Amino acid sequence: MNNIIGYARVSKKEQSLNLQRDALEKAGCNKIFTDKISGATEKRPGLDACFSTLKPGDLLVVWRLDRIGRSLKHLVLLMEELKEKNILFKSTCEAIDTTTTTGMLIFNMFALIAEFERGLIRERTQAGLNAARARGRTGGRIPVKSTDPKVLTAKKMHKNHGMSIKEICKTLNLSRASVYRYVAL
């Protein structure tokens, strides 16, 4: 095992990280990353910095699982990412420790749950697409016709007024790609 790195999080700025810091120091962490932000927040600078620091063979330690994962799904994704990067994981309260055989079993169960969830999503998506096809829907955007008023306006603006693509985009509230596509029709 290389480095032992800790991650601690509290939801509010006025809350203290001391309890978690103490537990992480006791677990042997030589570096601790922190966030004072809601767990529901997607962007957590401390967690991002922690993950960018971790190297294969390192051990990531958290006080409790709910400090790192926003939801079970997010936690499973994080566990998978750690496994792929060959990073060990330990949660002091839940006694999950991938440096042990039992901990690896739990860690692998997370990976199996994630794979199962991905399979269910694939099956549901495929079933939805098949049902739509059976009703005559093929998916994708409806093609824009050359007689569409926006297409005609974009063509006129480009040809007659010599307007730049940027000006046409701004005037018609269209993307550059759409304007180029319309002008080519």
Side-chain angles (χ1 to χ4, degrees), residues 31-79:
K31 186 161 184 127
I32 298 173
F33 292 89
T34 63
D35 279 315
K36 284 194 171 190
I37 194 165
S38 168
T41 305
E42 200 165 316
K43 286 286 180 193
R44 292 187 266 170
L47 184 61
D48 293 342
C50 178
F51 267 74
S52 66
T53 302
L54 291 165
K55 308 244 181 307
D58 286 350
L59 172 65
L60 173 61
V61 182
V62 295
W63 178 60
R64 288 180 46 153
L65 290 175
D66 66 347
R67 301 295 86 199
I68 192 168
R70 292 191 316 268
S71 62
L72 178 60
K73 183 178 181 179
H74 181 242
L75 184 61
V76 168
L77 291 173
L78 289 175
M79 294 297 114

Side-chain angles (χ1 to χ4, degrees), residues 13-29:
K13 298 236 184 257
E14 58 273 359
Q15 291 177 313
S16 172
L17 288 161
N18 292 340
L19 171 70
Q20 293 178 55
R21 277 187 190 279
D22 292 346
L24 295 175
E25 286 170 4
K26 187 176 178 184
C29 294

Side-chain angles (χ1 to χ4, degrees), residues 2 15-16 21 29 35 45 66 81 100 113 117 121 146:
N2 297 337
Q15 291 177 313
S16 172
R21 277 187 190 279
C29 294
D35 279 315
D66 66 347
E81 186 178 342
T100 67
I113 291 169
E117 178 65 20
I121 291 169
S146 59

Side-chain angles (χ1 to χ4, degrees), residues 113-126:
I113 291 169
E115 184 60 36
F116 176 70
E117 178 65 20
R118 276 194 304 276
L120 288 176
I121 291 169
R122 265 193 308 274
E123 287 175 8
R124 285 192 301 260
T125 302
Q126 195 58 50

Side-chain angles (χ1 to χ4, degrees), residues 142-152 154-156 158-159 177-185:
I142 298 170
V144 177
K145 296 184 178 163
S146 59
T147 56
D148 186 282
K150 270 196 173 181
V151 172
L152 296 173
K155 281 183 169 184
K156 279 182 187 174
H158 185 64
K159 185 176 182 183
S178 293
V179 172
Y180 278 114
R181 194 170 45 252
Y182 290 177
V183 170
L185 287 177

